[in-house]
Amino acid sequence: MHAVAPLLVDEGSSVTTRRLAEAAGVSEGTLFNVFSDKDELIAAVVDATVDPEAYERALNEIDVAMPFDDRLRAATELTSRRVITIWALVSRVDAHHQPEHRRLPDSPALIELMTDGHDRFRLPPTEAARHLRALTLALTHPMLSSEPHTADEIVDIFLNGVGT
């Protein structure tokens, strides 16, 4: 599934199963041994892309020995990449392949990071984590920002606001 995601981003849902099989390094028959049809494969790729497990794992791997601001930057970079990756894929697949619209679940790993720096915020860690993700989404998403902001810029705004 991970091998075909870039092809779906490039060519969208109209990509042929032959091209998908080539990208995965398997025969078309092998694809159909695993997936009943192309729609099922595309749905599996979308599901794998939006699944937060790898994101949470990556957040948990941020070195806790780093200064707090550097950990925030690392978490923001991961969040930005996730926003861009998900958007790139879901903007190219047919409507029936779009992920289910629901409230974004809280990120336990990001909340834990905020808990470590709770003395820096006037909000509880869960709210601080939600605010950082919302700010990152707003400043990274191609439909909301003409040019994605860097993790440094986002963390600076998050920690210091936009005032002088």
Side-chain angles (χ1 to χ4, degrees):
M1 288 187 296
H2 297 292
V4 303
L7 188 59
L8 284 170
V9 169
D10 288 343
E11 298 186 25
S13 298
S14 63
V15 66
T16 65
T17 55
R18 179 174 172 234
R19 297 264 303 130
L20 292 169
E22 287 171 357
V26 299
S27 70
E28 279 185 273
T30 300
L31 280 184
F32 293 121
N33 286 335
V34 179
F35 302 100
S36 62
D37 58 22
K38 183 172 80 169
D39 281 343
E40 187 178 320
L41 171 59
I42 293 171
V45 171
V46 170
D47 288 346
T49 302
V50 300
D51 185 336
E53 184 179 325
Y55 169 69
E56 288 294 313
R57 199 171 40 255
L59 287 171
N60 281 320
E61 291 172 0
I62 295 173
D63 185 357
V64 295
M66 292 177 7
F68 182 72
D69 290 13
D70 292 342
R71 286 183 279 151
L72 274 183
R73 282 184 199 87
T76 301
E77 180 62 37
L78 290 168
T79 306
S80 293
R81 272 191 265 143
R82 180 169 167 72
V83 168
I84 291 167
T85 299
I86 290 172
W87 172 251
L89 179 63
V90 301
S91 67
R92 296 287 293 157
V93 297
D94 294 336
H96 65 279
H97 294 298
Q98 298 296 316
E100 178 183 321
H101 295 283
R102 64 186 190 289
R103 186 181 166 283
L104 196 61
D106 287 327
S107 165
L110 192 55
I111 293 168
E112 181 63 32
L113 189 148
M114 294 299 174
T115 301
D116 291 344
H118 74 280
D119 57 331
R120 303 269 312 261
F121 308 115
R122 54 191 163 105
L123 297 172
T126 300
E127 286 301 310
R130 288 177 185 158
H131 279 72
L132 180 59
R133 282 196 345 180
L135 183 62
T136 303
L137 173 67
L139 295 176
T140 303
H141 196 289
M143 295 290 288
L144 302 173
S145 183
S146 59
E147 184 71 28
H149 287 63
T150 67
D152 286 339
E153 293 169 330
I154 295 168
V155 169
D156 181 55
I157 293 168
F158 179 72
L159 292 175
N160 303 309
V162 294
T164 58

